[in-house]
Amino acid sequence: MRAIDTLLSGDLPRSRLLALALGAILFALALAPFLFPGTRSLDVAAKVCIFIVLVASYDLLLGYTGIVSFAHTMFFGIGGYGIAIAMTRLDAGWSALAIGTAGALAVSLVLSLLVGLFSLRVKAIFFAMVTLAVASFFAILASQLSDLTGGEDGLTFKVPEFLRPGFRLLDEPVLGVVFGGKLITYYLVFTSALALFLGLLRAVNSPFGRVLLAIRENEFRAEALGYRTVVYRTLANCLSALVATLAGVLYALWLRYTGPNTTLDFAIMIDILLMVVIGGMGTMYGSILGTTLFIVAQNYLQDLMKMASGATRGIPLLPDLLHPDRWLLWLGVLFVVCVYYFPLGIVGRLRHGGARKG
Amino acid sequence: MTQPSDDQGPLPQARIDTIPLLILAGVVIVAFFLIGSASTWVTLTIAGVAMGLLIFIMASGLTLVFGLMDVMNFAHGLFIAIGAYVGVSTMKAFSSAAGSESFLENLGALAPTLLGAVVVAGLIGAFFERVIIRPVYGQHLKQILITTGGMIVAEQLIHVIWGPDLLPLPRPETLRGSFLVGDVAIEKFRLVAVVVGLSVFAAMMLVLNRTKIGLLIRAGVENKEMVEAMGYRVRRLFVWVFIVGSALAGLGGALWGMYQENVTVHIGAQMMVLIFIVIIIGGLGSVGGCFVGALLVGLVANYVGYLSPKVALGSNILLMMIVLFWRPQGLYPVNRQ
């Protein structure tokens, strides 16, 4: 029990249902290759792992510090492009991977520092607008510098031998699962995501995290207590950017591809916002629930809606509203409802219910 | 002794800051020497002014809404998209008049198209203000989130109503093509954009500077509490500013759709970035700044697009950076108490 407490930095789920849901998700992700065989479901599992990290790092900004940034996908993209460029220019080995990651981290650090120092002094709205502009500029840049980034087509690259799908660790499948590069990559993604998530949990429960919360609640008072709020905000912005960059590295490594549509698209930014808010702002666990719910919905809700749309044929407008491509409409409605009525999202609901019983 | 008398002369006037205007003129002149060809320069300048005025129409409402109530509407692009889509439908309904060779009949198609866009966008703006924005006054974080959420839902609803495909929005017959003045080619539709844009700007300036409502709006931007203390309801005023701002965005959207001759659901989100840049450059809350900023963005985009197409798409961001390094609050900072 104490070990778990240390591992979770003292921030326990504090709700039986929440703990159950988190345990189930952890179990499913840890054993995904064995529980859900098939390429599509493993893709979904890997995407969930990576986006949990990405969303959690965004929550550090939005939920804990109270800053809205629209440039989070930019840092995600820098990670992806960092290793994609290193892998295509250098030998596709571990050293290229390390160089690409280090380079991407450095670029992200400098950029997030610049953006932070430039615009975090002023109002939240101003920061949101500036980051939106900078992110769209970066997306244009990535598609224009086609010599370096591959333009709209993106970059497909080779990964180290060990991680390639063709690589075999064991000749025979065990329990119907091939022990090869794909499996190794999945577990690399899974353990990195887990470690990064626990690291973020550590950060928000440290004295540093408390100051961030204080700034969110009352910036003036935090400043009066002697904390340089600009410094803390900038640090939070940099930390969040660095973690997003690492998530981008993992995503590129999993897809063996980086392009504007997988990393820099504004639609991904919207997805991240939805995941954070639906899961619960200011609760790291919210990112797990929000991401899982969202990505599973993205991949499987459409099948359900196809059935519903077919069943309501003949009624005006309803089949159009239930059209499989309209899944985002319903999540958008859920998002708006969450912001109004459940500011702490699903996690807040679960914790609140649990507290009343206990 | 201290009673004011009538013969004290005119009230002291605030001096107009002319430096941003000089910069605007400077950009136009420098571009002339960089481009080198007079006819190209005229064409580009007219294109830039037309684009700038269209952006101004769309952005002016947003900056006023922010100035008056400290509300930043991230879903402003929605009204642009609605204006454009209503324009598509109306233009289709009046397609016979739009296809005719007579300019008057073309106007008979253009007028209802623009009017429809204005009315529908205004109505939806009223609804949006009531349902989405009113519950989150004064909470910036929630405003950003909720308006972004409203944008997502609305974009999806546009998909439901008009479908996901790119729709054509043809210009009326006599407004296609261009005039030739000497060896200068001037696209006809750009002139329409300039005329409409200047009329909107003139009307807005008249209302803001010559009417009581305008006086209240300007006073409200500078000091809301004081205006309320005088017994005026700034909030009611704000609702109307919001509606008019949305309607103008709708008008701008319909014109922009015709400018590009087609409409996709992303038109709003694409314009949003440009509009944010413009109102940041101009100074949040300042209509005059918004006007100068929009012209600056339009002109620079066209000049740079001709001189070095690779940089063109990023030129606006660079422009914003330069302006903010010089004046961190924008060209015309709004003094707030």
Side-chain angles (χ1 to χ4, degrees):
Chain A
M1 203 57 210
R2 169 156 293 174
I4 293 178
D5 199 49
T6 318
L7 204 59
L8 299 181
S9 315
D11 186 6
L12 295 170
R14 296 207 307 276
S15 148
R16 198 165 293 163
L17 246 128
L18 179 60
L20 213 64
L22 291 174
I25 292 171
L26 180 69
F27 179 74
L29 288 178
L31 297 176
F34 302 94
L35 292 174
F36 320 103
T39 330
R40 186 183 170 196
S41 42
L42 198 60
D43 269 337
V44 171
K47 197 177 173 191
V48 170
C49 290
I50 292 159
F51 270 73
I52 285 176
V53 175
L54 185 63
V55 169
S57 65
Y58 191 67
D59 195 24
L60 177 68
L61 273 188
L62 180 63
Y64 284 88
T65 324
I67 306 173
V68 185
S69 158
F70 285 102
H72 211 59
T73 45
M74 177 172 84
F75 299 114
F76 189 52
I78 290 175
Y81 276 106
I83 70 160
I85 291 168
M87 291 300 213
T88 45
R89 296 286 157 117
L90 307 170
D91 276 343
W94 294 104
S95 56
L97 187 63
I99 293 171
T101 309
L105 286 174
V107 171
S108 286
L109 186 64
V110 171
L111 257 179
S112 59
L113 255 179
L114 275 180
V115 172
L117 289 177
F118 193 57
S119 48
L120 276 177
R121 293 172 176 278
V122 275
K123 282 184 175 174
I125 281 179
F126 193 75
F127 186 72
M129 291 161 76
V130 168
T131 50
L132 184 67
V134 170
S136 77
F137 175 58
F138 191 82
I140 291 165
L141 205 67
S143 65
Q144 288 288 305
L145 298 174
S146 44
D147 296 339
L148 192 65
T149 61
E152 290 292 329
D153 298 332
L155 290 169
T156 307
F157 57 91
K158 285 194 176 133
V159 291
E161 175 79 45
F162 198 51
L163 302 177
R164 285 177 201 163
F167 177 79
R168 289 284 175 274
L169 201 63
L170 301 172
D171 289 333
E172 294 296 314
V174 178
L175 300 167
V177 178
V178 182
F179 274 71
K182 200 84 183 165
L183 193 79
I184 298 170
T185 317
Y186 179 75
Y187 279 106
L188 179 69
V189 166
F190 174 75
T191 44
S192 314
L194 190 64
L196 283 171
F197 180 80
L198 291 176
L200 279 173
L201 201 59
R202 179 70 249 170
V204 296
N205 288 295
S206 66
F208 169 71
R210 295 281 168 247
V211 178
L212 295 185
L213 281 179
I215 294 173
R216 182 191 70 185
E217 292 305 324
N218 192 333
E219 190 192 342
F220 186 68
R221 192 175 288 180
E223 184 95 55
L225 285 173
Y227 296 104
R228 300 277 301 276
T229 53
V230 179
V231 173
Y232 277 90
R233 281 176 151 177
T234 310
L235 278 179
N237 191 35
C238 292
L239 181 63
S240 150
L242 290 180
V243 176
T245 311
L246 289 175
V249 168
L250 290 177
Y251 200 39
L253 207 58
W254 174 255
L255 294 176
R256 283 170 283 127
Y257 164 81
T258 296
N261 294 329
T262 59
T263 52
L264 294 174
D265 199 358
F266 188 66
I268 299 177
M269 193 63 243
I270 296 285
D271 291 353
I272 297 175
L273 254 178
L274 288 169
M275 292 183 219
V276 170
V277 170
I278 292 173
M281 284 185 282
T283 60
M284 275 291 149
Y285 296 117
S287 63
I288 298 184
L289 292 186
T291 309
T292 311
L293 186 79
F294 187 90
I295 292 180
V296 169
Q298 192 175 29
N299 285 281
Y300 298 104
L301 184 66
Q302 299 187 11
D303 299 339
L304 203 69
M305 289 178 70
K306 205 174 283 168
M307 276 163 43
S309 179
T312 51
R313 190 163 316 205
I315 306 167
L317 205 62
L318 208 55
D320 282 333
L321 288 173
L322 292 173
H323 189 275
D325 288 344
R326 294 289 79 77
W327 63 280
L328 194 57
L329 171 69
W330 299 104
L331 285 180
V333 171
L334 184 61
F335 173 88
V336 172
V337 170
C338 270
V339 176
Y340 278 144
Y341 301 108
F342 315 114
L344 291 177
I346 303 174
V347 169
R349 268 333 274 172
L350 290 176
R351 278 186 172 166
H352 193 63
R356 226 180 326 180
K357 268 179 222 150
Chain B
M1 246 340 247
T2 53
Q3 281 216 330
S5 58
D6 284 341
D7 52 24
Q8 271 183 339
L11 286 167
Q13 293 265 322
R15 271 196 319 133
I16 296 174
D17 183 0
T18 49
I19 300 174
L21 296 173
L22 292 178
I23 291 176
L24 192 61
V27 166
V28 176
I29 294 166
V30 169
F32 179 74
F33 292 108
L34 284 178
I35 291 166
S37 138
S39 63
T40 316
W41 176 76
V42 172
T43 308
L44 287 175
T45 307
I46 290 178
V49 169
M51 181 178 164
L53 286 171
L54 285 183
I55 298 173
F56 169 74
I57 293 177
M58 294 183 246
S60 52
L62 190 64
T63 201
L64 262 185
V65 161
F66 178 81
L68 206 55
M69 285 306 261
D70 217 15
V71 167
M72 183 47 72
N73 180 11
F74 276 72
H76 194 69
L78 154 71
F79 303 117
I80 296 172
I82 285 175
Y85 272 96
V86 170
V88 168
S89 295
T90 331
M91 199 52 109
K92 201 180 265 172
F94 286 86
S95 56
S96 62
S100 138
E101 295 287 327
S102 131
F103 177 65
L104 273 180
E105 279 191 42
N106 283 176
L107 272 189
L110 189 65
T113 303
L114 298 184
L115 199 69
V118 165
V119 170
V120 175
L123 286 177
I124 293 178
F127 174 78
F128 202 81
E129 195 278 335
R130 183 73 195 78
V131 175
I132 299 280
I133 297 202
R134 194 166 295 184
V136 289
Y137 273 134
Q139 301 164 283
H140 282 159
L141 196 71
K142 279 198 171 182
Q143 267 168 26
I144 301 174
L145 293 177
I146 209 82
T147 51
T148 311
M151 179 90 181
I152 299 169
V153 174
E155 249 185 24
Q156 294 293 318
L157 285 175
I158 288 179
H159 269 307
V160 171
I161 299 171
W162 279 283
D165 302 322
L166 183 143
L167 297 177
L169 178 50
R171 301 169 186 175
E173 187 65 36
T174 50
L175 297 176
R176 292 178 199 166
S178 41
F179 294 116
L180 269 181
V181 182
D183 55 351
V184 180
I186 302 169
E187 252 186 71
K188 290 178 191 167
F189 192 75
R190 287 188 179 147
L191 287 184
V192 175
V194 170
V195 169
V196 177
L198 283 180
S199 329
V200 168
F201 179 66
M204 192 178 274
M205 279 296 145
L206 270 180
V207 170
L208 282 179
N209 292 320
R210 292 279 181 272
T211 66
K212 187 167 176 186
I213 293 200
L215 186 69
L216 288 175
I217 292 174
R218 284 186 295 134
V221 169
E222 289 212 358
N223 193 334
K224 191 178 116 202
E225 282 78 15
M226 187 55 99
V227 177
E228 277 174 342
M230 300 285 201
Y232 296 101
R233 293 193 190 177
V234 173
R235 181 161 286 196
R236 189 178 288 172
L237 201 66
F238 166 77
V239 173
W240 283 104
V241 171
F242 192 92
I243 292 172
V244 171
S246 311
L248 283 177
L251 175 69
L255 285 169
W256 189 257
M258 275 186 253
Y259 195 71
Q260 295 191 312
E261 300 188 272
N262 59 57
V263 174
T264 69
V265 77
H266 299 297
I267 183 174
Q270 280 163 359
M271 291 311 292
M272 260 336 254
V273 175
L274 219 51
I275 287 174
F276 278 156
I277 292 174
V278 163
I279 64 177
I280 290 176
I281 287 180
L284 293 174
S286 154
V287 176
C290 177
F291 184 69
V292 177
L295 285 179
L296 211 53
V297 164
L299 286 169
V300 169
N302 275 281
Y303 292 146
V304 178
Y306 174 78
L307 290 169
S308 87
K310 277 233 152 184
V311 196
L313 290 162
S315 63
N316 303 313
I317 306 279
L318 294 179
L319 188 67
M320 181 178 84
M321 297 281 178
I322 295 168
V323 169
L324 288 185
F325 270 117
W326 175 50
R327 288 190 175 176
Q329 303 285 321
L331 290 177
Y332 288 103
V334 173
N335 293 320
R336 297 158 154 285
Q337 261 85 54

